[in-house]
Structure formats: structure tokens, C-alpha cells
Amino acid sequence: MADSPADLAAPGVETPADSTAPGVGTPADSPARFVETPGSGEVAGGREDAVWRMRGAPLIAAPGPGPLSGHTIAVKDLYAVAGFAIGAGVRDYPGDPEPEHATAVAALLAAGADITGIAHTDEFAYSITGSNGTYGMPVNPAVRQRIPGGSSSGSAVAVARGEATIGLGTDTAGSIRVPAAYQGLWGIRTTHGRISTRGQLPLAQSFDTVGWMTRDPQTLAAVSNCLLPPDTVSTHGAATAGNDHAGDVAKNAANPVAADRIDESTTVTVDLGAEFETASDAVTAEPPRLVVDTGLCEVADPPLAAAVRIAADTLNAAPVALEADLESWFMAFRTVQAYEAWRNHGPWITAHPGALTPEVAQRFAYAATITPAAADRSRRLLEAAASHLRSALTGRILLLPSTATFPPLRTANPAELEAGRTRTLHLTCLASLAGMPAVTFPLAGTDGLPMGLCLIGAPGTDQALIRAAHAAADRLG
């Protein structure tokens, strides 16, 4: 990763890499075709176009044909793209160009997809609103006067606008699920550790995952076939080792820079320290049962909760009571996430006062107050919560509202945005703290406002979860 940030030449503009470098730029016999995205136009106080940090035609072409030929990728500005520095949504952050692609980026290119460009993210991905104080807030194509959701906002809007077919993002606390739900897209947060995060700038390694958004389930599944190993779950519902490269949480937190470049041979552990089961565990033969906890649904606004209950009835989902201690679990999740975020980025932020906008700076200021003892206490609580959820959802798929609110207005005041964000995080943190995969897909909303239905499954069941979501969407019409 770029750990010696230098000055950026100009917003949204970079010098293209040498086109003769392997896997970088356009073919050597054609000129590089880079496009600076305009920043003109206003929508409710935001720039009309705040999607792309760098865009090409393509920015990087696939090295050859493959199962994803014809598809195009908007890469969230947290992934290493060879020849370009990682920006992380922060103007002063980019340093030296990355020498090689992140694992997920390289895999998509090898599968035949072209990279259209590098898309903006919320600063250090520490938000789910989709706002960036420097580059602006992208316009939500589904409802232009409402926020797009973040932190994978740029990738999501690029897909929703038809400028890419695949939005490569990350999901730590909901950064795939929220923008997908707010924009009527399909999205997946993959099982923690199932896809290597090599070359991905971390926020909180205990929860960071690779994810992507598409306009349809077929593309979502096609990407999963290229990035994910076959589904394998143990009797405890935990993913088998497979091709995981998540690494140990304690090691990651202690050495975040090294953790970002985890060796492929690292012994893999489930986030929060529980070891993966061995590959000899068989996948359960019984198909998972759809379940719904109506108490959890009530965290969402009444119209969203009602829509999920109706969907659950249509899908014959069985009622369950998960007995989730939402407030305690959320606070523990927030504490560990903040502690790791400060370990990862605190030194740079301290050395660059004023580099962040007030909203994100306030979160990092809180993160700086978390002591190791407080983080350890919260980890122990999360270990118990994760075990409880994995046990309760073995052989089951949980239905939930993807977000607690419809996309708020762009003109909403900060207090209103924060209140909605907090309630949404109470729902999204469940999959995150337990390392579970989650798929969101569009559900008919109220008054034309988009909303998402989320399916959460046992770790290691990512592909089955996509199939279950596709079947559910077909049945719901």
C-alpha cells in the first residue's frame, strides 16, 4: 500500500501509467485514453458528477477473453490498481503508484472484465452516507434528491448509471448493502476471509470484506463464480479454509500495514479469533430455511419493516426470535471497528491535521480514545455474539431490511443523517460481527423510493445465498 503520501497534482486527474507495463493502461500500440470527469452541475447542494477519480476507455483492458468478457468494473478507491496510487477519498493521501493489482482486481481482469475507472469513496470508507467533503456527493440515479449511500458510493452510482456493469467495493459495516439498497441494485458482502484482501486498504480488518454491486442477479453470480471458491460450510456454519487469506485479528490489529499484505500461506482464522473448520467437514445436505425475526425488523422505519414482513409471508419464512442484544452488540462492534481504524490510519491523520472533513474527523477523534482494554472487552462480547448468531442461523437464511431507512434527502441535517445511520448499523453489523455473507436485492418500496431486502446466511454459503436471493426475487415479482 502507499504509506508515504505525496501531494496530488489536481482533483480527479492523474498521470497515466506507462502503457507498456504489464496489465496497465491501454495496449502499447494505442495512445492512453484517460478522461477527466467534469465536476459541473448542482443537485441539492452537491456536484452533479462526483463519481470518478480516474476514468478511461478503458482505464485498464483485460489481458484476454474470459467468463466476464464484455463486463466493465468501477473499482472503489481502496483497491490497488497497478500504476495508480490509492486515494481512499482523501485528497492528500495518495502516494506512490501501486506496483501490482489487488487480488480481487487481478482476478476480475483475468476473468476478462475491463476496468472502466477508479471510483470515489467516503473518506477512508468510514461512513455509509456516500458523501465526500472534497469530491462531493454523487447523485443517486434512482432518486436524485436523496443520498446515494456509501462508502462504495462511487462504484454503486457508476453501475446504477450504466457506466459499469460491476461495482467493486468493500463492506465493513454495510458499505455494499447500503448503497445497493438506496439505488435499487444487487449487492453482496462476502464471507469474511473468503476472498483475499491483499492490496485492499483496510479500515477494520476484523470486519473488512470484498463485495460488489450489479444491476441484476446473473452478473452478481457470474462475478462470484470468478472470485469465490465453491461453497463449503462446517457443522458449525463456518467457512472452510479454502482460499481464505483473512489472517488473524490480533496480528492484523497489531500490525495493520503488514496485515494489508498478508502472505498467501497465512493460517486462516475466522474474524474474532475462532479457527476455520477443516475442509473435511461436509456441506449440510438440507437446504437452508428462510426465517424472519420481526423484532429485528422493527429497527427499521414502519414501511420498510412492513414490506419485509409481507415478503417473508410470501416466501413462507418461519418466524424466529434470535434474542439479539442489538445495542450491546452494536456498541462492541463500533468500539472494535474504531480501535482498528485508528491503529490503521491514526498516525497519518495525526501527521496531517485538517485533512479530513468534520464528519469523518469526528469519528476518528472518537476512535483515538479507544483503549486496548476496551477493545479487548468488546472483542470478547463479539466472540459470544458471533457464536450465538452462527449457531442460530446454521441451516437458515435470515431476512432483514437492508437499511433502517429509505435513502434520506441530500438536504437532511447531520443529526437526522446520524440517527438513521446508527439504526441502519444496528442491522448491518449483524452479518459483519459474525463474518457472514449477506446479499441485498431491490424490493418494491413506498412512493417510488428504493429499498432492499437482505438475506444473511452461514459463513461459506455465499453462492447458495445468491441463488436463494435470485429465487426469492423471482417469487416476489
Side-chain angles (χ1 to χ4, degrees), residues 14-34 54 56 58-64 80-85 97-102 105-106 109 114-115 118:
E14 280 195 25
T15 303
D18 184 352
S19 62
T20 61
V24 179
T26 53
D29 60 354
S30 64
R33 297 168 293 172
F34 297 124
M54 175 58 65
L59 185 68
I60 299 179
V81 177
F84 300 93
E98 294 294 321
E100 61 183 13
H101 298 309
V105 172
L109 285 168
D114 295 332
I115 294 178
I118 300 170

Side-chain angles (χ1 to χ4, degrees), residues 116-133:
T116 295
I118 300 170
H120 284 306
T121 176
D122 297 6
E123 294 172 302
F124 287 124
Y126 207 176
S127 179
I128 57 170
T129 63
S131 177
N132 185 297

Side-chain angles (χ1 to χ4, degrees), residues 372-445:
D376 287 343
R377 287 193 298 271
S378 292
R379 280 200 182 94
R380 288 194 292 272
L381 177 56
L382 290 183
E383 287 171 359
S387 177
H388 175 82
L389 283 174
R390 291 176 189 142
S391 177
L393 294 180
T394 297
R396 293 171 167 176
I397 294 175
L398 177 67
L399 304 182
L400 274 179
S402 297
T403 61
T405 70
F406 291 112
L409 290 167
R410 296 172 70 95
T411 53
N413 63 59
E416 180 182 352
L417 288 174
E418 184 61 26
R421 171 182 175 273
T422 298
R423 285 196 293 127
T424 288
L425 290 173
H426 276 71
L427 296 175
T428 58
C429 78
L430 295 175
S432 297
L433 69 86
M436 293 178 164
V439 172
T440 181
F441 67 88
L443 194 62

